Amino acid sequence: MDAGDERLDPVRNFTLTGFRLEQEAWRQFASAEDSQVIFNCFFNTQDYSHLFIHQQDGARLSIGLDFPQNVRTKVICVSKTAREVVTKENVRNILIIQEVQGEDAKTFIISVSEEVTCPLLSNHGTSRSWAVGLAEEALRFMERQRNEALVMKAQIDGRTFLAYPDAFRDDCLYDNALHDDSFQGDTEGRKWLDTQLLHACDSTIMEWVKLVSEVLQQDSSQLVLDGLEPLPSEEFNFWRSRLRNLHFIQEQLMSSRAQQVLSIAQRAESVYLSSLRDLHTDVQKGLDEAEDVARNLKPVQQELEKLQQMKYHQLGNNMAAVMEEVRLVWIKSEFYCRPCRVVVLLQEICTLFIQMSRSFLLGKDLMRTLGSEPGQKMEDVTLVIWTLNSLKEAFRLCRTQVEVDQRQDGDTRSWDFPSYLVFFRLDHFLLHLQGIQEVFSVSLQLHQLDRTASVGGRMWTDAIQEVYQDFLCHVTVLCDLTCDPTNPDDQSFLKHLSQFWVQVSDLERRLASVLSRAFEDCCISSSGAKLVKMFGFILDRPLIHDQLRPYLVRLEEMVLEELDQIESLFFSERKESDTFCMFTPSHAAGLCWSQQLRRRAETTLNHHRTLQQLDQDSGVSELVLQRFHLIEDLLRHFRDGLRTEWSSLLDSDCGFILEQPVIQKNQQGMLGVNCSNTLHVVLRELRYVSRKTDLELRPNAARLFTCRDDITRSYLSLSHMVSCYKQVVGGVLTEDFSLIQDQLQDLDLNQNLSELHRYTWGSEGLQQQVEQNRDMVLLLHSTVSQARANMDAMTRIIQGWAKLHLLERSGESLLEVRDMEQSYRHIREEGEELLRLTQVNRSLYGAKDSSESWIMYLEHLDDKVQDGLFQLALRSMHFLLDNMNPQSCCTFVTVSLQLRETGSVFEPSVGVGLSDLLQTIISDIYTATSLPLRISVSRHSNYQVSLQQSSDLSALQQEVKNRLLQVREEAERLLTRLDRYSYLWLSDRKRVMQEFLTYSRQLGPEELEAEETPPTLNDFQREINSLNTLREEVDHLDDVILLHSWLQVDLRAFKGSLLSVVYKWRHLYTDYLLHSVSERACIIVQLPSDRNHHPAGSCWSPAA
């Protein structure tokens, strides 16, 4: 409530004047949150009638709805003349504002008046010097002030104070009036005093009768008659306050002063004496009534207080207990068994439950969840409706019980008052809640539009989503309302609610239009039924249902058409058994086909039932049921005929199978399972029969059906046995044929299989015989399979030798002589594995070492080993020849040409060195073939000896030697070409230099003597240039030369050594020139010093 509200103006003005405050103090006080809450409760509700404002310590204002305790200052009391909401229009008429003293001030005034002021003023000695009448007037004023304080205090406590006559100064006033000596002999004075006292007593009696009459005339139903909505607590408080007030009145009437008034009235024979006696009687009757009612209402109060402590969902089950207590009040109470009082109490109970219901629904927050999750709030509203209806039901049962009590005991009165007097407000509230419940129900229905699938395409889906979005907008308006929707008298909410229903009707018409087009597009009943299931939550709305009714009728006609199609399909295809199923027995397929037709008819009938939920008044339902029963009868007759025919044919096939032998030999002489296809078909049909328990089996079929599991196991065992036997005998190899024949004879398997030919599928002991033969065949199959697996493993080892690389090329495409020990170890280990697997096979076959079949087996395996080693050696020889091929143009072996003191040489030597290398490689190849031990015991030499005798390997070895001779010749030609530089390392450089210095050239081998000619600088230049040309020629020699396309000669070391020799020859000449020039320079430097030391006429010689 705003601090500037006009309704607060009277209270503000009175408060500012009474407490002498500034406007700012009032503004701060009225703007406080606590003050606004209390102002709202007082001005905007009917529950409170008084408002109290007082000053606390520090001149701070305080406000409350109850009279403040222990307040020493004055209190401003704001009261309502009626229980109504204070508005701007009635604020001047309904409010009474008065200033009262605090509790301590009232007590102080009363105590001072009774104990100090009044006794002093009553004492004639004290007031003897005063003016005449002043003491009496002061005394009367103090007594009036005391009486007003007593009245105010009693009113605050809810009690009625009976004021005494002003003429009574104190308790001895009456005695003084009767025995005062001043009046002895003065008859007129005494008469005047008696008249004064009698008049005061009569006035007091009249005032008492009026006050008590007002108290006794008060009725708890007055609040209801005033149009207010009191709670049961008002009723209980009324009777409790009434009882306390009547006790207080009775105590006052029995006090000494009240007895003085009675005595004076009796002596004077006052006309009000009877009124005073009636007053005593009325007070006593009122006390009896109040005690009776308060005592009997207490259980009702306790039960209601217990309910107020419960959870709301527990109230409905405890309504009967409340009504039972009300019934007991009606029966036990002498004064409360009046319809008007029970009606008032029941109305107040209804008001209490309405208030609890509104609190449970959270008032303004009730509609907040309408746009998101209305389900929970709808459950709450439904719970409230059920709870309030439970109250009405409890009232009905209680009224019935009262009537029963009346019939049993004539003293009990019945509740003959109309029930609408009790529930008129509750019914109005229920009707309002049902409207809110309908809002939530519609919201829940329309919220489901967002979760529906596509309907007839994107256009219809978009239309439904548009309706949903508009609905959300309308719901948002209700969610944003600030009013209390649980208040049935709130016209603003009712206005918005009415507008919402108009909008919902518009949405329903739009939905009906969209769904009409969707139903119009349905060409089969299943589509319509799907639509009904998808939108069943909204289709029951009257407006939508009325518009969709023609389409629902059309869908029901489709149901009839689909049933007619099923009947036509039955008559057209019942003779064409091939169309049923090609993977199942024809009769079983026919039964399955009929079952499918039945399910199809049932599905169509279910579609009709789905549609019928919305159109129960349609006359097509009976016709649909008749057509369905007709189709059901046709299918039943068809199935009965199929069962009879199937039973006959199955019995014939079973009789044929039971007489056939279990195995037989085919045209190639191989074993096979007899009648396997026929038996498989019959067993499959029997498997279908086991699922169809209603098929009658004839004797042969019943016999085979009984032992079908044993026959199935025998058939599977035979099939497995024959398959294994065929694998052993049909896939036999030449080398192990004799060994397998020996095992067949040892096991007597051929004889046992011959005995099995005499058994039929119906023979006794078939399974045992089959199991016995199967175990022997499986044992033989396992043995042979393992032996063949070992043979395959040995074959893989031998084939691996043929792919083994003893020689490889390095990354630079040169020959890499691998570590043969690793290959040797690998071949040796595999040879040992061959021997081990050979011994395992001997154990598996159970052969003796000396048996002919085992010796043949070993010789065959030995030939395979020797062939594998031959392939290993052959692969290595071909590797050498392929890489020594002149046409390969790929480096295979590398040698280096070195310059020694003796001349140029190859490292390793192209002659002996390279020959030794190749011979070593060939020897290693043959050594690898000697590593595996001999498999055959009849052949004593190792595999190397046998392979060295091979002409193919010898021819390849000779070809390697020939190619080595060819490359050796070409290497010698290379050395011959390089011998033209031999003079550089063979000539004596000192001798040659000496000849050059003597003859300026090198003498030829024919020249023995020549003319001495010292060399000039040009001669030196000629020799140095010649050496430079030679250096360039050597520098342009190839670094690498490939001989015979496979031998690579590295000339880099040779070139380096030869260039070093050339440089030495060049330095020989250059060093000589440098040395000569240095000597000449030293001589030139020394010449000036020599002139200073020698006499004149001396000279320097150039020859020096």
Side-chain angles (χ1 to χ4, degrees), residues 323-374:
M323 296 308 300
E324 178 63 20
E325 294 297 337
V326 175
R327 187 182 70 86
L328 293 176
V329 172
W330 177 267
I331 295 174
K332 295 180 180 180
S333 178
E334 178 183 357
F335 299 96
Y336 208 79
C337 55
R338 301 177 189 173
C340 60
R341 290 186 172 176
V342 173
V343 168
V344 169
L345 178 61
L346 292 175
Q347 287 181 357
E348 292 171 346
I349 292 175
C350 292
T351 303
L352 173 64
F353 284 112
I354 290 174
Q355 182 179 351
M356 294 174 65
S357 300
R358 292 180 61 184
S359 300
F360 172 71
L361 295 176
L362 300 179
K364 294 181 180 180
D365 296 335
L366 177 61
M367 309 301 288
R368 302 291 187 200
T369 61
L370 195 60
S372 56
E373 295 294 336

Side-chain angles (χ1 to χ4, degrees), residues 850-947:
S850 60
S851 64
E852 184 179 356
S853 58
W854 178 246
I855 294 174
M856 293 175 58
Y857 182 82
L858 291 180
E859 290 178 353
H860 169 77
L861 184 59
D862 187 80
D863 292 339
K864 293 180 69 174
V865 173
Q866 182 171 331
D867 183 67
L869 294 174
F870 173 78
Q871 294 296 329
L872 172 64
L874 187 66
R875 178 185 180 87
S876 301
M877 290 294 186
H878 278 297
F879 177 82
L880 289 175
L881 288 176
D882 292 342
N883 287 277
M884 295 174 68
N885 189 355
Q887 299 178 357
S888 64
C889 296
C890 185
T891 303
F892 181 52
V893 180
T894 300
V895 295
S896 177
L897 183 61
Q898 303 285 342
L899 181 60
R900 306 296 185 196
E901 293 180 356
T902 59
S904 57
V905 294
F906 289 101
E907 290 186 2
S909 174
V910 175
V912 178
L914 187 60
S915 177
D916 293 343
L917 174 64
L918 294 177
Q919 187 61 39
T920 301
I921 292 174
I922 294 173
S923 299
D924 291 341
I925 293 172
Y926 280 112
T927 302
T929 60
S930 66
L931 296 176
L933 299 177
R934 274 285 185 178
I935 300 297
S936 175
V937 295
S938 61
R939 300 172 183 176
H940 302 289
S941 61
N942 59 22
Y943 293 107
Q944 179 182 359
V945 176
S946 301
L947 293 177

Side-chain angles (χ1 to χ4, degrees), residues 119-352:
L120 286 174
L121 294 176
S122 301
N123 189 347
H124 295 289
T126 304
S127 59
R128 186 169 301 169
S129 60
W130 292 6
V132 178
L134 180 60
E136 288 80 2
E137 185 62 27
L139 182 59
R140 283 193 296 271
F141 173 77
M142 291 305 299
E143 287 181 348
R144 282 196 302 270
Q145 187 178 22
R146 184 197 62 182
N147 289 338
E148 290 176 359
L150 289 172
V151 170
M152 178 60 67
K153 184 177 180 181
Q155 287 180 353
I156 292 173
D157 294 338
R159 295 182 295 180
T160 302
F161 178 74
L162 302 181
Y164 298 107
D166 295 338
F168 286 12
R169 299 290 183 265
D170 50 24
D171 292 338
C172 60
L173 179 62
Y174 172 72
D175 296 333
N176 292 336
L178 294 179
H179 307 289
D180 194 346
D181 296 336
S182 62
F183 292 102
Q184 291 181 3
D186 188 356
T187 306
E188 293 296 332
R190 184 179 298 279
K191 185 176 183 181
W192 173 84
L193 181 58
D194 291 341
T195 303
Q196 185 180 7
L197 288 175
L198 179 61
H199 177 72
C201 290
D202 289 343
S203 300
T204 301
I205 291 172
M206 292 174 61
E207 183 66 23
W208 287 357
V209 170
K210 179 182 177 182
L211 292 175
V212 174
S213 297
E214 290 177 357
V215 173
L216 294 177
Q217 289 175 3
Q218 291 178 356
D219 196 346
S220 60
S221 63
Q222 186 61 42
L223 297 177
V224 178
L225 296 177
D226 292 341
L228 302 179
E229 299 170 3
L231 299 175
S233 58
E234 298 284 348
E235 183 78 11
F236 305 142
N237 292 336
F238 172 82
W239 288 105
R240 187 165 55 249
S241 300
R242 185 186 181 97
L243 178 61
R244 186 172 61 250
N245 193 18
L246 290 175
H247 274 298
F248 182 64
I249 292 173
Q250 190 179 43
E251 289 176 359
Q252 294 179 86
L253 292 175
M254 301 303 295
S255 65
S256 59
R257 293 191 177 183
Q259 294 301 319
Q260 290 177 4
V261 173
L262 177 61
S263 176
I264 293 173
Q266 288 177 348
R267 291 187 56 205
E269 296 181 357
S270 173
V271 294
Y272 296 104
L273 180 60
S274 60
S275 299
L276 183 58
R277 290 173 177 171
D278 292 339
L279 180 62
H280 280 272
T281 304
D282 294 340
V283 170
Q284 184 60 44
K285 290 181 179 179
L287 270 175
D288 295 339
E289 179 187 27
E291 289 176 351
D292 175 78
V293 173
R295 182 178 60 256
N296 288 285
L297 285 181
K298 191 171 183 179
V300 180
Q301 180 183 3
Q302 294 174 351
E303 190 65 34
L304 289 176
E305 289 175 352
K306 187 188 303 182
L307 257 65
Q308 288 176 320
Q309 302 300 322
M310 294 182 181
K311 300 291 185 181
Y312 191 87
H313 66 273
Q314 299 174 336
L315 298 182
N317 297 325
N318 291 276
M319 294 297 184
V322 176
M323 296 308 300
E324 178 63 20
E325 294 297 337
V326 175
R327 187 182 70 86
L328 293 176
V329 172
W330 177 267
I331 295 174
K332 295 180 180 180
S333 178
E334 178 183 357
F335 299 96
Y336 208 79
C337 55
R338 301 177 189 173
C340 60
R341 290 186 172 176
V342 173
V343 168
V344 169
L345 178 61
L346 292 175
Q347 287 181 357
E348 292 171 346
I349 292 175
C350 292
T351 303
L352 173 64

Side-chain angles (χ1 to χ4, degrees), residues 999-1010:
Y999 304 106
S1000 69
R1001 63 186 179 86
Q1002 184 178 358
L1003 296 179
E1006 297 86 3
E1007 295 180 292
L1008 298 175
E1009 293 183 0

Side-chain angles (χ1 to χ4, degrees), residues 1026-1091:
S1026 175
L1027 290 172
N1028 286 336
T1029 302
L1030 183 61
R1031 179 184 61 77
E1032 292 178 358
E1033 181 182 348
V1034 172
D1035 191 53
H1036 283 84
L1037 290 175
D1038 293 333
D1039 292 338
V1040 177
I1041 297 176
L1042 193 64
L1043 301 181
H1044 212 263
S1045 299
W1046 61 270
L1047 180 62
Q1048 176 177 292
V1049 179
D1050 188 358
L1051 296 179
R1052 287 174 293 184
F1054 176 77
K1055 284 175 60 179
S1057 300
L1058 187 57
L1059 286 173
S1060 178
V1061 173
V1062 172
Y1063 281 127
K1064 289 179 180 179
W1065 281 99
R1066 185 173 177 272
H1067 291 158
L1068 184 67
Y1069 292 102
T1070 57
D1071 290 345
Y1072 182 81
L1073 289 175
L1074 290 174
H1075 181 69
S1076 298
V1077 170
S1078 297
E1079 288 181 352
R1080 296 288 192 278
C1082 290
I1083 293 173
I1084 292 172
V1085 171
Q1086 293 176 359
L1087 280 178
S1089 61
D1090 292 340
R1091 288 180 180 179

